[in-house]
């Protein structure tokens, strides 16, 4: 076995190719974080391995720089380097998870605006496929992530993909429960012959109310957070100001 095949085997082992569901979930997370491509899983595994080795080398250099390597048993400095490797190996996963969560939050924040614009397009006489294309083109500069997903869904529908599958993929990639319910509402309206404009109007109004409720929830949590911050930064200084004269008087009495 040559070097390239050994490297591929190691990357396949580290990327967890044993389970297709776990592999697909990891690929979706990388896509949400902004990393895509045919070999993204192997690249991600290589970056994790490189990060772990770099952290282990940094830990070893720290031991040498502090001049305590000679005073430590072998198992202790090996354990310290292994801990550094573990921290470095975990760091890319935490970064990808954070970037993916930001992507999901942006999709949830931008969805009500997209639904309002889609409602305008549908009421103007455009079909659902045309409204998706129009929304994707109009929101490209304002909300690029959601516009890209709408454009991909529109292209899939033009290519002849089933509407249920296209909207299911849209909801799966974005990890948005509102898009899942949106897909169910659209499919139900199409199957039952309900006017799509009425469905959009009701659903857009519900989304707007849900958005306001989320804003109100965050606003209601703000006084509690401010109270904790105020206590953390105000109470110690206040106690110091009040107790310093008493402590000084007690010390002077001895």
């Amino acid at each position: 076995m040559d070097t390239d095949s050994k490297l591929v085997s190691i990357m396949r082992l580290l990327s967890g190719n044993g389970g297709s569901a776990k592999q697909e979930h990891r690929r979706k997370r990388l896509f949400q974080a902004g990393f895509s491509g045919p070999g993204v899983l192997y690249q991600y595994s290589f970056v994790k391995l490189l990060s772990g080795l770099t952290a282990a080398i940094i830990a070893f250099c720290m031991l040498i720089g502090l001049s305590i390597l000679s005073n430590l048993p072998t198992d202790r400095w090996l354990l310290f380097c292994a801990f550094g490797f573990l921290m470095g190996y975990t760091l890319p996963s935490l970064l990808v998870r954070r970037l993916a969560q930001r992507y999901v939050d942006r999709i949830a924040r931008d969805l009500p605006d997209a639904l309002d614009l889609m409602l305008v397009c549908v009421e103007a006489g455009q079909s659902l496929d045309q409204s998706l294309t129009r929304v994707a083109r109009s929101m490209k500069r304002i909300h690029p992530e959601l516009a890209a997903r709408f454009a991909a869904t529109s292209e899939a529908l033009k290519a002849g993909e089933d509407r249920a599958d296209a909207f299911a993929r849209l909801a799966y990639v974005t990890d948005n429960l509102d898009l899942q319910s949106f897909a169910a509402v659209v499919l139900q309206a199409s199957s039952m012959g309900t006017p799509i404009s009425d469905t959009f109007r009701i659903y857009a109004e519900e989304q707007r109310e849900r958005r306001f409720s989320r804003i109100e929830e965050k606003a209601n949590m703000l006084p509690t957070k401010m109270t904790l911050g105020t206590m953390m930064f105000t109470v110690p200084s206040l106690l110091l100001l009040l107790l310093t004269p008493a402590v000084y008087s007690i010390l002077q009495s001895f």
Side-chain angles (χ1 to χ4, degrees):
M1 184 180 293
D2 55 3
T3 306
D4 295 337
S5 58
K6 288 182 179 179
L7 182 60
V8 171
S9 301
I10 294 174
M11 293 301 104
R12 184 178 292 112
L13 178 63
L14 292 176
S15 58
N17 289 354
S20 58
K22 185 183 296 184
Q23 180 181 358
E24 185 64 28
H25 177 74
R26 188 176 290 113
R27 183 180 286 110
K28 182 183 70 171
R29 281 295 185 184
L30 289 170
F31 174 81
Q32 293 174 349
F35 308 103
S36 59
V40 65
L41 289 180
Y42 298 137
Q43 296 171 4
Y44 175 60
S45 302
F46 178 76
V47 169
K48 291 178 66 176
L49 181 62
L50 182 62
S51 177
L53 291 176
T54 303
I57 293 174
I58 292 175
F60 184 76
C61 293
M62 287 177 60
L63 292 177
I64 296 178
L66 295 176
S67 301
I68 60 175
L69 185 61
S70 58
N71 299 327
L72 286 178
T74 304
D75 56 345
R76 292 291 181 85
W77 66 264
L78 284 177
L79 181 62
F80 189 77
C81 293
F83 179 75
F85 176 83
L86 182 62
M87 294 294 293
Y89 188 81
T90 311
L91 183 61
S93 301
L94 299 177
L95 179 61
V96 167
R97 189 178 306 171
R98 185 174 181 83
L99 292 175
Q101 186 59 44
R102 288 183 178 180
Y103 173 87
V104 173
D105 293 340
R106 286 194 299 268
I107 292 293
R109 181 194 61 194
D110 302 339
L111 182 59
D113 296 335
L115 291 179
D116 290 337
L117 182 56
M118 191 176 296
L119 173 61
V120 174
C121 296
V122 170
E123 288 183 342
Q126 294 183 349
S127 64
L128 179 61
D129 300 350
Q130 293 174 343
S131 64
L132 278 174
T133 305
R134 177 66 178 177
V135 170
R137 186 168 61 250
S138 300
M139 301 183 64
K140 187 175 182 179
R141 294 184 178 180
I142 306 174
H143 308 307
E145 292 92 355
L146 187 58
R149 297 321 309 158
F150 275 7
T153 305
S154 177
E155 293 295 330
L157 292 175
K158 290 179 181 178
E161 186 175 1
D162 184 67
R163 182 168 294 180
D165 295 338
F167 279 104
R169 182 180 296 108
L170 173 64
Y172 173 75
V173 171
T174 56
D175 267 344
N176 191 279
L177 297 178
D178 296 333
L179 279 176
Q180 294 180 7
S181 59
F182 168 73
V185 167
V186 169
L187 294 176
Q188 184 177 7
S190 301
S191 61
M192 299 182 63
T194 307
I196 195 68
S197 59
D198 297 340
T199 304
F200 265 110
R201 188 181 300 106
I202 296 173
Y203 190 78
E205 184 177 356
E206 291 178 355
Q207 288 299 312
R208 198 178 299 109
E209 292 177 355
R210 188 175 302 177
R211 184 181 186 181
F212 288 153
S213 64
R214 291 173 181 171
I215 295 175
E216 290 177 354
E217 181 180 356
K218 291 182 179 180
N220 293 330
M221 293 174 60
L222 187 59
T224 304
K225 295 180 179 179
M226 292 182 63
T227 302
L228 293 176
T230 303
M231 292 177 60
M232 184 180 300
F233 293 103
T234 304
V235 173
S237 58
L238 182 61
L239 291 177
L240 182 63
L241 181 63
L242 295 176
L243 295 179
T244 299
V247 173
Y248 180 77
S249 301
I250 294 173
L251 293 178
Q252 288 296 323
S253 63
F254 290 101

